[in-house]
């Protein structure tokens, strides 16, 4: 069976940066450590006034196509995943294809284009669609472009304002890929939940605390479901676990849950028993509350063990380095986590070829998905070609006044026009409105 997976990846951050402990926390009267230690965030990336989901997605795709020497004729499918769409009919992928056609020879008239929506998990679902299209033999030798692009903005003074972000990921999906192949096995945890939604509104309605619990519950179901088709996951068999990362503190909770689940009834649980006891089993307790208290106590102990801390430092922490600097990119977030982990491995001089990643995606509303990926021989060259450090360093640092201004400028209910804070350089920009209310774009050299 032909292996299918991600051949190349590119990343594009919004051009602005909000320092959370330094600028945001003091204005909110909060302890900066809520951000650095609690949520695990140093900064959020923001779009400048000429940036939106189309420009960021097109810029990521443009970089990817140029770097891989791709032409429109090589690409048979363009899917965009976003939860920040501005049109209920015309998909963002058509706008992005239009941008790309203005800088490449040829066109995308032959390409099937679409838009995927299921909160943050839509990026992974688009990856699935591309995988299935190729495995079904419908691709005529062409690859699929998957773009996850979002402006994760919340209403001013909403608790979610702490976890904003903006950026895009472009993925090129092919047979015999250079980066990773995807497992056919997948696990799902999916339920009708009301934790985070945008019923015809720009900024989300969020029950933040509940959304954290729903994330954990669905991720646990997805893990159980994955193991039911792929067999037990063993700690030693998985090198990195990139999770959907709305903020790194969320992943701290998800990782602990996954670790506890995976070590149950294994030699690891036995070896830790002298130090922290065995995991509580529901049947040993008369009430749910007693069981939950015992579980909490076990987790508190587990978190302090050297064994858990070493696993976390090696397997999870490397997936969080970019998220700490950019915040939540919704559909792109789990793909940012994958890049972070692979980038860490390049920096450590580690040879990852043949190693396994277990990828945990999540979307509010709610659904989690887990699959595994095998790192391919060409991975290091692909990751070394990224310029993410340069992009992060080049962002303009917002003052508090700038932040208020740019948030208003992106608020669809406000009519605020501001001067850009950065000068576009070799990128697509929003150029204004067309006669039917469509957005127009141009490429700035
Ligand atoms: C949105 C998606 O992308 C989909 C999802 O994943 S849903 C799951 C995630 N949900 C979201 O991202 C929703 C949007 N965000 C929010 O609603 C909120 O920002 C939030 C719920 C994440 C945080 O809410 P908050 O009330 O502002 O923060 P709060 O809970 O007080 O503090 C956050 C953490 O910092 C810790 N903290 C607070 N002050 C601290 C300090 N001075 N020092 C150290 N830690 C501190 C808190 O203890 C807490 O950690 P724990 O959860 O481990 O206890």
């Amino acid at each position: 069976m032909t292996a299918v997976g991600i051949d190349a990846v590119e990343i594009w951050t919004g051009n602005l940066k909000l320092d959370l402990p330094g600028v945001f926390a003091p204005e909110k009267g909060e302890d900066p450590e809520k951000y650095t230690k609690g949520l695990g965030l140093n900064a959020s990336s923001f779009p400048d006034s000429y940036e939106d989901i189309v420009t960021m997605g097109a810029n990521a795709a443009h970089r990817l196509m140029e770097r891989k020497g791709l032409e429109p004729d090589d690409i048979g499918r363009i899917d965009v995943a976003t939860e920040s769409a501005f049109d209920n009919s015309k998909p963002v992928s058509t706008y992005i294809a239009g941008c790309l056609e203005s800088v490449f020879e040829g066109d995308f008239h032959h390409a099937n284009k679409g838009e995927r929506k299921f909160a943050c998990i839509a990026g992974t679902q688009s990856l699935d669609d591309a995988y299935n299209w190729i495995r079904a033999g419908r691709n005529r030798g062409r690859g699929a472009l998957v773009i996850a692009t979002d402006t994760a903005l919340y209403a001013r003074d909403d608790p979610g304002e702490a976890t904003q972000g903006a950026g895009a990921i472009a993925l090129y999906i092919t047979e015999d890929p250079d980066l990773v192949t995807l497992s056919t096995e997948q696990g799902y945890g999916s339920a009708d939940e009301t934790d985070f939604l945008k019923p015809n509104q720009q900024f989300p309605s969020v029950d933040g605390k509940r959304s954290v619990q729903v994330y954990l519950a669905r991720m646990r179901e997805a893990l159980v479901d994955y193991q039911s088709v792929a067999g037990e996951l063993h700690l030693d068999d998985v090198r990195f676990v990139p999770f959907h990362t709305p903020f790194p503190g969320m992943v701290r909770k998800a990782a602990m849950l996954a670790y506890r689940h995976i070590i149950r009834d294994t030699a690891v649980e036995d070896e830790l028993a002298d130090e922290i006891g065995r995991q509580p089993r529901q049947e040993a307790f008369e009430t749910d509350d007693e069981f939950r208290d015992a579980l909490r106590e076990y987790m508190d102990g587990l978190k302090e063990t050297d064994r858990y801390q070493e696993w976390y430092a090696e397997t999870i922490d490397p997936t969080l380095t970019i998220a700490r600097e950019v915040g939540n990119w919704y559909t792109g977030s789990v793909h940012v986590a994958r890049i972070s982990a692979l980038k860490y491995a390049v920096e450590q001089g580690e040879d990852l070829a043949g190693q396994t990643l277990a990828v945990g995606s999540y979307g509010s509303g709610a659904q989690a998905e887990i699959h595994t990926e095998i790192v391919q021989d060409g991975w290091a060259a692909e990751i070394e070609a990224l310029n993410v450090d340069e992009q992060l360093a080049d962002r303009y640092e917002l003052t508090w006044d700038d932040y208020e201004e740019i948030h208003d400028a992106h608020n669809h209910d406000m009519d605020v026009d501001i001067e850009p804070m950065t000068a576009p350089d070799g990128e697509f920009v929003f150029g204004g409105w067309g006669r039917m209310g469509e957005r127009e774009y141009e490429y700035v050299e």
Side-chain angles (χ1 to χ4, degrees):
M1 203 183 325
T2 319
V4 175
I6 306 170
D7 189 56
V9 63
E10 265 299 343
I11 183 165
W12 189 276
T13 177
N15 285 337
L16 309 179
K17 167 185 172 185
L18 177 64
D19 178 331
L20 292 167
V23 172
F24 190 76
E27 288 291 337
K28 293 276 166 184
E30 290 174 326
D31 183 347
E33 292 202 337
K34 168 180 164 182
Y35 294 87
T36 50
K37 296 204 168 141
L39 296 169
L41 289 167
N42 298 324
S44 300
S45 55
F46 268 79
D48 204 338
S49 55
Y50 57 84
E51 293 186 282
D52 66 14
I53 51 173
V54 172
T55 64
M56 295 187 299
N59 287 324
H62 182 208
R63 266 190 68 85
L64 187 148
M65 287 180 67
E66 285 224 306
R67 181 162 70 70
K68 297 294 281 185
L70 297 173
E71 292 166 8
D73 201 39
D74 298 315
I75 294 168
R77 187 178 174 102
I78 306 178
D79 277 318
V80 171
T82 185
E83 49 185 305
S84 322
F86 46 76
D87 192 313
N88 287 324
S89 176
K90 183 174 148 87
V92 172
S93 49
T94 57
Y95 282 98
I96 291 183
C99 288
L100 296 172
E101 283 171 350
S102 71
V103 294
F104 287 102
E105 294 279 319
D107 61 51
F108 288 102
H109 290 203
H110 57 274
N112 187 5
K113 308 183 189 82
E115 188 172 304
R116 257 284 191 176
K117 180 182 71 180
F118 192 151
C120 310
I121 202 172
T124 297
Q125 290 183 319
S126 299
L127 187 58
D128 270 3
D129 292 342
Y131 174 94
N132 294 335
W133 173 71
I134 295 173
R135 287 289 295 272
R138 290 176 144 181
N139 60 320
R140 299 191 233 161
R142 290 177 166 130
L145 191 55
V146 167
I147 298 162
T149 179
D150 271 300
T151 47
L153 301 183
Y154 292 77
R156 296 295 311 280
D157 297 328
D158 185 287
E161 205 183 354
T163 57
Q164 302 182 107
I169 297 288
L171 305 159
Y172 187 52
I173 319 305
T174 63
E175 292 176 37
D176 296 325
D178 279 345
L179 196 61
V180 294
T181 56
L182 308 183
S183 63
T184 46
E185 296 83 6
Q186 294 175 290
Y188 288 105
S190 187
D192 177 9
E193 298 277 8
T194 306
D195 55 332
F196 172 111
L197 55 159
K198 300 185 190 177
N200 286 322
Q201 63 198 46
Q202 182 190 8
F203 300 131
S205 297
V206 197
D207 182 342
K209 304 288 178 213
R210 180 160 165 66
S211 73
V212 170
Q213 294 314 316
V214 174
Y215 179 124
L216 294 174
R218 302 289 78 81
M219 198 61 82
R220 184 177 172 284
E221 277 175 3
L223 181 55
V224 171
D225 193 47
Y226 176 80
Q227 291 189 314
S228 77
V229 284
E232 297 293 311
L233 261 182
H234 299 287
L235 294 179
D236 294 342
D237 295 342
V238 175
R239 178 62 193 90
F240 293 114
V241 186
F243 279 106
H244 167 57
T245 311
F247 53 95
M250 180 72 241
V251 171
R252 216 167 42 226
K253 296 179 204 286
M256 164 71 77
L257 180 139
Y259 189 90
R260 176 171 62 81
H261 183 86
I262 288 172
I263 65 167
R264 190 175 306 147
D265 295 324
T266 68
V268 178
E269 183 186 9
D270 296 342
E271 285 156 26
L272 285 169
D274 283 347
E275 211 178 325
I276 55 169
R278 293 182 62 76
Q279 295 192 23
R281 265 68 174 174
Q282 174 106 50
E283 54 278 13
F285 295 86
E286 287 193 356
T287 66
D288 283 352
D289 283 351
E290 286 173 40
F291 173 57
R292 267 197 293 275
D293 287 347
L295 217 45
R296 207 166 298 125
E297 199 181 316
Y298 181 82
M299 307 268 262
D300 285 345
L302 181 61
K303 178 162 73 191
E304 299 304 326
T305 62
D306 290 346
R307 190 160 191 153
Y308 178 74
Q309 287 185 2
E310 278 160 25
W311 175 81
Y312 186 88
E314 274 299 294
T315 314
I316 304 293
D317 203 53
T319 69
L320 303 175
T321 48
I322 301 176
R324 273 194 199 101
E325 307 307 322
V326 302
N328 194 357
W329 285 11
Y330 288 163
T331 53
S333 153
V334 67
H335 309 291
V336 169
R338 183 194 294 103
I339 293 174
S340 286
L342 298 180
K343 182 168 173 293
Y344 168 86
V346 164
E347 286 160 4
Q348 300 299 307
E350 198 178 326
D351 183 10
L352 273 195
Q355 302 240 42
T356 300
L357 314 179
V359 181
S361 303
Y362 175 74
S364 294
Q367 182 161 302
E369 186 262 7
I370 290 182
H371 68 265
T372 52
E373 300 179 354
I374 306 291
V375 180
Q376 300 299 297
D377 289 341
W379 75 279
E382 280 305 313
I383 298 300
E384 279 162 0
L386 301 178
N387 72 341
V388 52
D389 289 333
E390 208 177 301
Q391 288 188 37
L392 297 182
D394 284 351
R395 289 175 299 174
Y396 169 84
E397 293 229 15
L398 296 166
T399 63
W400 179 253
D401 289 347
D402 291 336
Y403 167 67
E404 295 203 298
E405 211 174 58
I406 195 73
H407 199 289
D408 287 352
H410 285 294
N411 185 336
H412 298 170
D413 292 334
M414 295 176 93
D415 193 14
V416 175
D417 219 7
I418 63 167
E419 285 301 310
M421 299 177 191
T422 56
D425 179 16
E427 60 196 279
F428 294 102
V429 300
F430 170 69
W433 303 94
R435 76 186 165 89
M436 289 173 71
E438 74 275 24
R439 295 184 185 216
E440 293 181 335
Y441 297 93
E442 58 195 78
Y443 186 75
V444 175
E445 294 290 343

